[in-house]
Amino acid sequence: MTPRIGTTAPGDESFRRGRLAKATEFLEAAEALRALGGDAGVFTAGSQFANAFVTQCVLSGIAAADAICVARTGEYSRSGAHDEAVPVLRAAAGQSVAKHLEVLLAVKTKAEYNARSVSDSDIVRAGEAAEALEVAARSV
């Protein structure tokens, strides 16, 4: 699927570094929330900060995706609709990387807006996806 015309914007090395720094900052914040909210070292859906943890993972993944896209193509998705960033990332880095952003976007609404809380599975998947995107952003 090709992104709609006008959904990308150019990004330079300074932009890439800034988005990578934010990806790392958000991921570190997620890990701090995990440490604060866990009970005897166990972090679950019932833990304090479970939704905040997933939200920080989502923010980290979006920032990392921008950094990856700029590093590979010189452009990033500027759309406010984050799902439009998936095909941009897929074109820049392939499906194996884009799937991590898809995982994060799939839990974004649940973590941020729904009355229902995230599940244990959502927590694990969000943490793994955010970490994978941050690592990928550092390696390009």
Side-chain angles (χ1 to χ4, degrees), residues 18-33 52-64 130 134:
R19 293 302 283 158
L20 177 57
K22 286 190 177 189
T24 301
E25 178 182 340
F26 293 140
L27 189 57
E28 289 174 357
E31 290 306 321
L33 289 168
F53 169 83
V54 171
T55 299
Q56 290 300 307
C57 288
V58 171
L59 293 172
S60 176
I62 291 167
E134 199 262 353

Side-chain angles (χ1 to χ4, degrees), residues 58-127:
V58 171
L59 293 172
S60 176
I62 291 167
D66 288 348
I68 292 165
C69 289
V70 168
R72 296 265 173 106
T73 69
E75 295 188 328
Y76 67 100
S77 176
R78 70 171 182 199
S79 172
H82 295 299
D83 60 326
E84 290 183 19
V86 173
V88 176
L89 181 58
R90 187 180 301 117
Q95 179 57 29
S96 63
V97 174
K99 73 178 167 91
H100 299 301
L101 184 58
E102 291 174 323
V103 165
L104 292 168
L105 296 178
V107 297
K108 181 181 186 314
T109 299
K110 189 175 183 183
E112 295 178 10
Y113 305 112
N114 285 357
R116 233 176 0 139
S117 187
V118 295
S119 68
D120 290 349
S121 174
D122 294 332
I123 290 168
V124 170
R125 291 174 51 229

Side-chain angles (χ1 to χ4, degrees), residues 6 13-14 16 20 42-43 46 63 66 69 74 77 87 106 113-114 119 121 127 133 135-136 138-140:
E13 180 60 18
S14 176
R16 185 198 67 77
L20 177 57
V42 178
F43 192 73
D66 288 348
C69 289
S77 176
Y113 305 112
N114 285 357
S119 68
S121 174
L133 283 168
V135 167
R138 289 195 170 286
S139 70
V140 292

